[in-house]
Amino acid sequence: MMIIGEHRPTKLVIDRAAIRHNIQEEVQRLPENCELFMVVKANGYGHGAVQVAEAAKAAGATGFCVAILDEALELRAAGFDEPILVLGVVEPKYAPLMAREKVSATVAAEDWLDEAGHYLALSQPREPLRVHLGLDTGMGRIGFQTPTALKQVIAYLDDHTAAFTFEGMFTHFSTADEASTDYFDKQVARWDAFMAVVPNKPRYVHVTNSATSLWHADHNVNIVRYGAAGYGLNPSGKALQPPFELKPAMRLVSELAHCKQLNAGESVSYGATYTSTQDEWVGTVSLGYADGYERRLQGFHVLVDGQACEIIGRICMDQLMIRLPRQYPRGTKVVLLGRSGNQEITLQDLAEYCGTINYEIACGFTARLPRRYVH
Ligand SMILES: *Cc1c(COP(=O)(O)O)cnc(C)c1O
């Protein structure tokens, strides 16, 4: 089992009210027949899958999406009985387990059904396996690639209703978070060609993630697969403005573990890459790259008492050092993500400094950091 740092002041603080706000605002924009499934893969983008699922349900989410089967089983074990779709391809040998747990499978190839059908016949679960057909309209990841292949697999499902329930059909857009709609429009055209060969639609037809639903809402069919925006993350970074305020749900806070004065000419951390040019106060924070606070953040800043304090020297596995404007007592609050005074550090700020996207920073925080839930 992974050790959680319960006896250390460093923690992620998750604001459930922010998650509810981000979901309620979106639910209000949806037409009557369109549901919101909260995407809680990767431990709810690092926020805690079960707690996020609870907040999402309270805010109007009627189902969940996850990436892998274990994440679906975690929700079932926690007592959620809403529909759960696994967005990735699960090994066919787990088809009976998925059927028993009423977890819906994404199907991307007909031979998957053959193999899954073999396992289902062996173990005879009480209900058929619910399947959503993935359609590749240009994401190039998983899914059927042509309307002909789609027609064929639907015929297969029609012939195998004891084993499978044809529950859904979906695609995924790769550029819905960009200002240019050229590629998006190509994907829409391919989607329309797929739909043209399906006279009888399954219960769930869905094409929108956060970005698509925020900026191309007219493409919503009957589910939104809502991830990033639910956590208050702008899926476009800063490129596009969301239609309502997205409230960040994650803060990362700690306290000074140590504070000392450094004389001019003294160095800090591995490699002695930082040397002070004058006497200065240096604080140590109990957080490092083993917590998912990336080593690349050297030179970035944290907030103490509403002031930005530079991270000096290399970030260690479990500790990092900052330059303080004056002496502060051990136990002084340190904000690594969130607000302090009138200053704020966002996941987007961390992502830009690291040359990545806000999603990666959020789900990079490791299990050693305790998650504390407020509101
Ligand atoms: C992760 C994922 C989503 C959610 O995307 P967001 O950008 O976080 O809203 C939706 N659909 C699929 C297929 C995904 O893999």
Side-chain angles (χ1 to χ4, degrees), residues 39 41 45 87 141 170-172 208-211 225-229 235 359:
V39 182
K41 60 195 181 192
Y45 294 38
L87 296 166
R141 191 164 64 179
F170 73 102
T171 195
H172 194 46
T208 56
N209 57 355
S210 296
R225 302 185 305 266
Y226 196 62
Y359 296 66

Side-chain angles (χ1 to χ4, degrees), residues 37-41 45 65-67 85 87-88 106 139 141-142 170-173 177 206-213 224-231 233 235 359:
F37 279 21
M38 186 65 188
V39 182
V40 295
K41 60 195 181 192
Y45 294 38
C65 298
V66 294
L85 169 63
L87 296 166
T106 290
M139 176 70 185
R141 191 164 64 179
I142 53 175
F170 73 102
T171 195
H172 194 46
F173 290 106
D177 57 343
H206 45 111
V207 304
T208 56
N209 57 355
S210 296
T212 317
S213 186
V224 180
R225 302 185 305 266
Y226 196 62
Y231 303 95
L233 299 174
Y359 296 66

Side-chain angles (χ1 to χ4, degrees), residues 192-213:
D192 291 342
F194 276 119
M195 289 309 101
V197 302
V198 190
N200 301 311
K201 304 282 192 290
R203 167 152 182 215
Y204 294 121
V205 180
H206 45 111
V207 304
T208 56
N209 57 355
S210 296
T212 317
S213 186

Side-chain angles (χ1 to χ4, degrees), residues 222-250:
N222 55 29
I223 313 180
V224 180
R225 302 185 305 266
Y226 196 62
Y231 303 95
L233 299 174
N234 182 332
S236 78
K238 287 185 181 154
L240 302 174
Q241 281 311 305
F244 54 87
E245 187 198 359
L246 295 175
K247 293 190 177 165
M250 181 184 272

Side-chain angles (χ1 to χ4, degrees), residues 95-97 99-100 119-129 162-163:
L97 175 57
R100 275 199 301 279
Y119 288 104
L120 290 166
L122 286 178
S123 85
Q124 302 275 333
R126 215 168 293 144
E127 283 195 46
L129 174 65

Side-chain angles (χ1 to χ4, degrees), residues 84-217:
I84 303 176
L85 169 63
V86 179
L87 296 166
V89 178
V90 176
E91 291 156 90
K93 65 181 175 192
Y94 297 121
L97 175 57
M98 295 182 92
R100 275 199 301 279
E101 295 287 338
K102 300 184 172 50
V103 168
S104 306
T106 290
V107 174
E110 199 171 310
D111 64 351
W112 189 97
L113 290 170
D114 268 334
E115 218 179 309
H118 161 77
Y119 288 104
L120 290 166
L122 286 178
S123 85
Q124 302 275 333
R126 215 168 293 144
E127 283 195 46
L129 174 65
R130 302 157 191 218
V131 301
H132 289 227
L133 298 177
L135 306 180
D136 187 358
T137 55
M139 176 70 185
R141 191 164 64 179
I142 53 175
F144 294 88
Q145 289 166 293
T146 63
T148 311
L150 174 60
K151 245 163 74 177
Q152 240 175 43
V153 72
I154 291 175
Y156 184 104
L157 289 172
D158 285 343
D159 285 347
H160 294 82
T161 51
F164 304 107
T165 300
F166 178 25
E167 183 185 57
M169 217 165 38
F170 73 102
T171 195
H172 194 46
F173 290 106
S174 55
T175 63
D177 57 343
E178 294 176 7
S180 160
T181 63
D182 295 352
Y183 196 80
F184 180 82
D185 294 339
K186 277 185 196 151
Q187 286 196 256
V188 170
R190 286 201 197 169
W191 170 258
D192 291 342
F194 276 119
M195 289 309 101
V197 302
V198 190
N200 301 311
K201 304 282 192 290
R203 167 152 182 215
Y204 294 121
V205 180
H206 45 111
V207 304
T208 56
N209 57 355
S210 296
T212 317
S213 186
L214 293 177
W215 296 300
H216 305 275

